[in-house]
Amino acid sequence: MDLGLLDRVAIVSASSEGLGRAAALDLAREGARLALCARTDKTLQTAAQEIRQQTGADVFARTCDVSDPDQIDGFVAKVAEHYDERIDILVNNAGGPPPGTIAEVGLREWRIAFDRTFASVVRFCQQVVPYMQRRKWGRIITITSSSTRQPIDGLATSNAMRPAIVGFAKTLSRELAPHNILVNNVAPGMFRTARHEELLESMATSQNRSPEEILQERVAQVPLGRMGDPDEHAHMITFLASERASYITGQTIAVDGGLVRGL
Ligand code: NAD
């Protein structure tokens, strides 16, 4: 199947590791030109170089903390300059919000969660939409979580901020549909990444159990009986970014091995 992604310009934020990096690599394999960002230049440039070597893609990479709207503005401006005022695809990603129950999470953590998980998505969208409108084509895909459908115990900030993104994306999808800009979310279940290891450690500490025990218990909830590979998540993003997804907008699509029980 020709996905029609050759030469499309795709921003993938927070993409030096994990699901963001896997999405960037998959888009590059289909011929897209990339703009990557993360906070730490060394890991970011390593990821960019590896993707160039594996795919031959054009990869622009600059540091940007997505919690800071000024840094997002500066990053998008540099991407536009690098790619001749062209931005076709935005994949929104960020590190996860701080873990904890409602009793454990203070106002500071709520503010971090708002800035990192919600406001970053709003700002990136505001910045890229004018470029997409000019070409009457665009794809905006946000990496969220299974918490958009089913709250996860011990992740209060995620359970509140991720559904907010669903409401935002649905609204935006309606506003941008006349411009042929499609807005969707992907909702990952459990994937082997640094974020997942961090969550296991945090749950193990608060429950006074071993990370291995918690991992086995979590995997037992997945009908497919295993964690996902980041590549499996990336393929959904690539499809939603492609020409082949031309009649899908305003959706939140789970990639979770059947984890969420809701219909
Ligand atoms: P990860 O920790 O492996 O990677 C996160 C990436 O984001 C890294 O490249 C990191 O450098 C970058 N990053 C973090 N904070 C940033 C910031 N403020 N500005 C710029 N870059 C930043 O995480 P992951 O597992 O790939 O998860 C990605 C997203 O998906 C997170 O929001 C996470 O909560 C969510 N998620 C992950 C899973 C999973 O199973 N891995 C499940 C549900 C939801």
Side-chain angles (χ1 to χ4, degrees):
M1 179 163 43
D2 176 12
L3 295 177
L5 284 165
L6 189 64
D7 291 336
R8 292 270 184 216
V9 173
I11 289 179
V12 186
S13 63
S15 44
S16 61
E17 291 179 280
L19 301 181
R21 184 187 183 287
L25 176 60
D26 208 50
L27 286 164
R29 284 192 194 114
E30 295 299 326
R33 295 179 281 169
L34 299 179
L36 310 185
C37 73
R39 289 164 304 180
T40 313
D41 194 50
K42 195 160 177 279
T43 45
L44 176 65
Q45 296 305 336
T46 303
Q49 190 53 22
E50 286 171 1
I51 293 172
R52 281 185 204 108
Q53 279 166 357
Q54 286 178 47
T55 64
D58 190 350
V59 184
F60 176 84
R62 289 288 182 282
T63 54
C64 169
D65 182 340
V66 302
S67 303
D68 178 348
D70 292 340
Q71 291 193 35
I72 292 175
D73 296 0
F75 174 70
V76 173
K78 281 187 207 137
V79 174
E81 192 184 313
H82 182 80
Y83 285 119
D84 263 343
E85 303 297 305
R86 180 171 177 179
I87 299 171
D88 302 300
I89 298 161
L90 167 66
V91 180
N92 281 309
N93 186 37
T101 61
I102 287 182
E104 290 163 348
V105 171
L107 190 56
R108 182 176 168 275
E109 284 77 24
W110 281 107
R111 287 197 170 120
I112 291 171
F114 176 81
D115 288 339
R116 189 188 295 165
T117 304
F118 182 73
S120 63
V121 172
V122 175
R123 192 66 187 178
F124 255 113
C125 290
Q126 285 172 330
Q127 289 300 306
V128 302
V129 161
Y131 297 99
M132 296 176 175
Q133 279 176 322
R134 259 176 247 140
R135 297 175 63 89
K136 296 189 172 36
W137 197 99
R139 300 282 192 267
I140 296 174
I141 299 141
T142 300
I143 298 178
T144 60
S145 164
S146 59
S147 64
T148 51
R149 303 273 181 81
Q150 180 172 287
I152 303 169
D153 291 344
L155 279 187
T157 57
S158 176
N159 298 338
M161 294 300 159
R162 308 288 196 188
I165 291 174
V166 175
F168 169 77
K170 189 74 175 177
T171 308
L172 191 65
S173 73
R174 295 179 61 80
E175 291 183 12
L176 295 181
H179 302 273
N180 192 32
I181 299 170
L182 312 184
V183 185
N184 293 291
N185 306 312
V186 178
M190 292 180 213
F191 289 84
R192 269 185 314 254
T193 64
R195 164 70 175 175
H196 194 260
E197 297 303 314
E198 185 192 314
L199 280 181
L200 282 182
E201 291 294 336
S202 151
M203 287 174 180
T205 308
S206 71
Q207 296 172 26
N208 204 15
R209 296 162 68 200
S210 74
E212 294 71 33
E213 199 185 335
I214 293 174
L215 176 63
Q216 279 180 13
E217 193 177 276
R218 280 166 65 80
V219 167
Q221 297 164 23
V222 183
L224 284 181
R226 62 178 177 85
M227 308 245 315
D229 185 292
D231 263 352
E232 295 177 293
H233 188 262
H235 297 328
M236 176 55 75
I237 292 176
T238 299
F239 173 70
L240 289 172
S242 78
E243 286 292 354
R244 303 286 82 82
S246 51
Y247 202 54
I248 302 172
T249 195
Q251 304 305 308
T252 298
I253 298 176
V255 183
D256 67 358
L259 173 70
V260 168
R261 280 175 177 260
L263 299 177

